[in-house]
């Protein structure tokens, strides 16, 4: 007898819009052009004042002709980027959910490639891909998202090896537009805290309670046009040198507070979270507060920095040598 064939996982796209008429049609066309079409598209419009809503209503009728249900939520008042995405994801019914920005274009095999990974790997909670960065007209800039983020080979290999929490606790590599997640992740991640962008929060919760991985292919065109809620650009040497000088203690306190929020949420999830993840969140908060409270310039500051370096904290929780230099060079 043959083993029963598992049913394909249902797919929801969660699209958020706000005054997006300039680029919206290209994204909508790419959703209907998927090799594996979504079962539903949930669209949450956050109070657009242009003709975005008219375009979305026309799209709903066009999608229905292709057998794709569109659920259109029209907010009476602006909720803001994070709350609107949380609303759209909560309304989506698919086993797999794909956050979607209004101004990108998805490669035709995006849904098929990513859904196949989830169907093959029951432990996988969140998957993200690389993206091709394009300009406002859709022309390639010669840059990808992972290159702009300076994702290192060791970081990507650690993700592939199941050590996502170690990577993402140190720094975020997950941007919402190329992400897919299982619906059950939302039960652990909601409500989204306003102190963190939703994609970073979802990735951290997923990595602490399951597996996060990355596809290194560029499955979307990520449009950079100056009006992005969260844009991407590669920083040059001048930017990096300025970073060394301008780091302020309040920035580090903010990072510590975010880890406190994460630690509190992880503790509330109980046995689903390994002790090492909870301890790691708390120790990063400690490390950030210590950096924020460094003594004035002199031997006391140097000694504190060197002790943290010898214990490996700069490598685990900060940006290694660059963060050490920041702490030695900055003037509070």
């Amino acid at each position: 007898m043959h083993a029963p064939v598992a049913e394909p996982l249902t797919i929801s796209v969660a699209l958020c819009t706000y005054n997006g008429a300039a680029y919206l049609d290209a994204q909508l066309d790419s959703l209907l052009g998927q090799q594996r079409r979504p079962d539903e598209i949930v669209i949450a419009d956050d109070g657009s004042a242009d003709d975005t809503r008219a375009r979305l209503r026309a799209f709903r009728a066009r999608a229905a002709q292709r057998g794709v249900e569109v659920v259109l939520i029209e907010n009476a008042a602006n909720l803001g980027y994070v709350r609107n995405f949380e609303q759209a994801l909560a309304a989506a019914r698919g086993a797999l959910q794909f956050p979607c920005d209004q101004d990108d274009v998805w490669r035709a095999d995006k849904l098929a490639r990513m859904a196949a990974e989830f169907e093959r790997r029951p432990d996988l909670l969140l998957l993200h891909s690389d993206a091709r960065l394009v300009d406002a007209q859709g022309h390639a800039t010669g840059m990808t998202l992972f290159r702009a983020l300076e994702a290192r080979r060791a970081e990507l290999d650690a993700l592939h090896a199941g050590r996502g929490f170690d990577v993402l606790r140190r720094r975020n590599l997950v941007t919402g537009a190329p992400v897919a997640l299982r619906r059950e992740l939302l039960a652990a991640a909601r409500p989204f805290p306003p102190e963190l962008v939703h994609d970073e929060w979802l990735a951290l919760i997923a990595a602490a309670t399951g597996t996060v991985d990355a596809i290194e292919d560029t499955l979307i065109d990520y449009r950079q046009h100056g009006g992005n809620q969260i844009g991407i650009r590669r920083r040059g040497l001048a930017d990096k040198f300025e970073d060394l000088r301008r780091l302020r203690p309040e920035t580090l306190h903010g990072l510590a507070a975010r880890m406190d929020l994460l630690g509190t949420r992880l503790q509330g999830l109980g046995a689903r979270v390994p002790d090492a993840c909870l301890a790691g969140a708390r120790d990063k908060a400690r490390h950030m507060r210590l950096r924020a409270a460094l003594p004035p310039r002199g031997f006391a500051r140097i000694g504190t920095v060197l002790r943290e370096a010898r214990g490996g904290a700069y490598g685990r929780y900060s940006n290694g040598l660059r963060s050490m230099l920041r702490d030695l060079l900055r003037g509070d």
Side-chain angles (χ1 to χ4, degrees):
M1 294 181 61
H2 296 290
V5 177
E7 289 289 325
L9 295 171
T10 54
I11 293 175
S12 294
V13 172
L15 168 62
C16 287
T17 60
Y18 177 68
N19 290 341
Y23 306 109
L24 181 59
D25 289 343
Q27 177 66 295
L28 296 175
D29 288 343
S30 75
L31 297 183
L32 291 186
Q34 290 294 302
Q35 295 170 2
R36 179 170 170 176
R37 286 183 185 154
D39 296 283
E40 70 168 2
I41 302 172
V42 175
I43 306 175
D45 182 76
D46 206 16
S48 291
D50 61 3
D51 66 343
T52 292
R53 290 189 174 182
R55 292 169 185 261
L56 293 175
R57 292 169 190 151
F59 173 73
R60 179 170 54 187
R62 183 158 58 99
Q65 295 174 351
R66 305 278 192 94
V68 178
E69 180 183 3
V70 172
V71 177
L72 180 55
I73 302 167
E74 298 183 350
N75 297 340
N78 187 274
L79 297 180
Y81 182 68
V82 173
R83 287 183 62 202
N84 197 38
F85 255 114
E86 182 174 0
Q87 170 185 240
L89 290 168
R93 296 165 294 177
L96 300 180
Q97 302 194 355
F98 289 75
C100 179
D101 288 343
Q102 65 188 5
D103 43 14
D104 301 325
V105 174
W106 288 8
R107 213 170 80 177
D109 60 344
K110 171 183 164 73
L111 292 183
R113 285 279 305 276
M114 299 186 88
E117 285 296 305
F118 282 100
E119 289 165 349
R120 184 175 67 85
R121 301 168 59 183
D123 63 312
L124 188 62
L125 278 182
L126 185 143
L127 181 66
H128 61 113
S129 76
D130 201 355
R132 187 176 75 146
L133 302 189
V134 300
D135 64 16
Q137 289 73 43
H139 302 138
T141 64
M143 181 63 63
T144 73
L145 176 61
F146 285 175
R147 283 178 58 203
L149 293 174
E150 299 180 1
R152 293 190 288 271
R153 182 73 260 159
E155 291 174 315
L156 295 170
D157 287 345
L159 282 175
H160 300 330
R163 301 196 304 276
F165 191 77
D166 292 342
V167 174
L168 299 171
R169 175 193 59 201
R170 181 174 174 271
R171 71 175 184 124
N172 184 41
L173 292 177
V174 179
T175 300
V179 160
L181 56 120
R182 290 191 193 269
R183 192 176 194 279
E184 55 259 37
L185 174 60
L186 294 179
R190 295 186 64 210
F192 299 170
E195 292 84 357
L196 282 84
V197 180
H198 68 280
D199 43 22
E200 180 181 6
W201 178 252
L202 285 165
L204 285 165
I205 298 296
T209 58
T211 300
V212 171
D213 204 352
I215 292 176
E216 295 187 39
D217 289 342
T218 55
L219 298 186
I220 75 167
D221 281 355
Y222 188 13
R223 197 188 303 266
Q224 306 295 294
H225 53 76
N228 305 76
Q229 286 285 345
I230 301 175
I232 296 289
R233 72 179 182 90
R234 190 168 191 177
R235 299 179 308 149
L237 288 176
D239 297 313
K240 294 174 183 178
F241 181 75
E242 182 61 20
D243 281 349
L244 292 177
R245 297 193 313 108
R246 71 184 178 196
L247 184 68
R248 295 290 181 263
E250 54 266 27
T251 302
L252 296 167
H253 280 302
L255 292 170
R258 288 159 60 180
M259 283 297 107
D260 287 338
L261 284 168
L262 177 64
T264 299
R265 181 65 60 90
L266 296 183
Q267 185 172 21
L269 295 174
R272 297 172 58 184
V273 177
D275 290 343
C277 292
L278 183 56
R282 289 172 171 168
D283 198 44
K284 176 164 182 175
R286 177 208 61 80
H287 171 68
M288 291 302 171
R289 287 199 173 90
L290 181 145
R291 291 182 61 198
L294 281 171
R297 290 180 181 276
F299 290 113
R301 172 176 286 215
I302 293 171
T304 302
V305 170
L306 291 179
R307 281 193 297 274
E308 282 293 286
R310 281 197 299 269
Y314 278 100
R316 286 192 302 273
Y317 306 128
S318 295
N319 203 17
L321 180 61
R322 186 184 300 175
S323 294
M324 288 178 58
L325 289 174
R326 276 179 162 183
D327 287 346
L328 292 171
L329 293 176
R330 80 174 199 248
D332 297 341

